[in-house]
Amino acid sequence: MAFNIDDLKPTPGSRKRSKRIGRGTGSGMGKTATRGHKGQGRATGKVSARFEGGQTPLFRRIPVKGFKNRDAVEYATVNLSILEERFESGSEVTPEILLKMRILKNLKDGVKILARGEITKSLNIKANAFSASAKEKIESAGGKAEVI
């Protein structure tokens, strides 16, 4: 028994006929064509989740507090106590080395050295900023504080 291309048919039940809407009242899907009656959802579809029926929305009723200064410089900070623990006397400390040793996760806008803790080793520290007391402690221990 040979098959021809015109003998091929889909398996019964595998293909569902599409709904023919808007084809008269006798079809059961005439008149409004399954779209319901007039209303807000008719023209635009759905209303956004934040819409409150014309009432002033919550995000406009709540006052705005504070602001974010776009020009503010945010430093990644390192204390002298950490430098004392992790570095040998006479070694150089730079932001790249601090990243490599995982003392810092990211450099942000630069590195600032703060004075918490004591330092006894003479270190050559290069950073974007130093607190006054940190600079004083580094230089009194025989080290160098260099601003990049």
Side-chain angles (χ1 to χ4, degrees), residues 82-110:
I82 294 168
L83 300 180
E84 176 75 23
E85 285 173 20
R86 303 277 188 95
F87 289 94
E88 301 285 321
S89 184
S91 60
E92 189 173 282
V93 180
T94 63
E96 290 76 27
I97 292 170
L98 293 171
L99 266 180
K100 194 182 279 184
M101 291 180 72
R102 295 188 177 177
I103 293 169
L104 295 174
K105 287 182 181 176
N106 66 343
L107 295 178
K108 297 186 181 175
D109 295 329

Side-chain angles (χ1 to χ4, degrees), residues 20 23 50-51 69 80 95 105 126 140 148:
R20 297 191 69 231
R23 293 292 180 269
R50 65 175 188 256
F51 186 68
N69 185 1
L80 289 177
K105 287 182 181 176
K126 295 179 179 178
S140 66
I148 317 174

Side-chain angles (χ1 to χ4, degrees), residues 92 124-130 135 139 144-148:
E92 189 173 282
N124 182 16
I125 303 170
K126 295 179 179 178
N128 301 83
F130 294 88
K135 196 168 194 176
E139 288 168 357
K144 251 167 99 178
E146 189 180 322
V147 177
I148 317 174

Side-chain angles (χ1 to χ4, degrees), residues 118-140:
E118 294 301 317
I119 189 160
T120 56
K121 300 171 182 173
S122 64
L123 299 172
N124 182 16
I125 303 170
K126 295 179 179 178
N128 301 83
F130 294 88
S131 69
S133 51
K135 196 168 194 176
E136 189 181 300
K137 284 182 180 182
I138 292 163
E139 288 168 357
S140 66

Side-chain angles (χ1 to χ4, degrees), residues 6-45:
D6 54 313
D7 293 333
L8 295 174
K9 290 180 187 169
T11 310
S14 68
R15 291 180 58 104
K16 190 176 177 185
R17 286 185 71 184
S18 62
K19 279 186 183 180
R20 297 191 69 231
I21 56 174
R23 293 292 180 269
T25 51
S27 69
M29 288 174 204
K31 192 173 178 260
T32 57
T34 72
R35 288 173 180 259
H37 291 278
K38 291 181 181 180
Q40 186 172 25
R42 177 186 68 145
T44 58

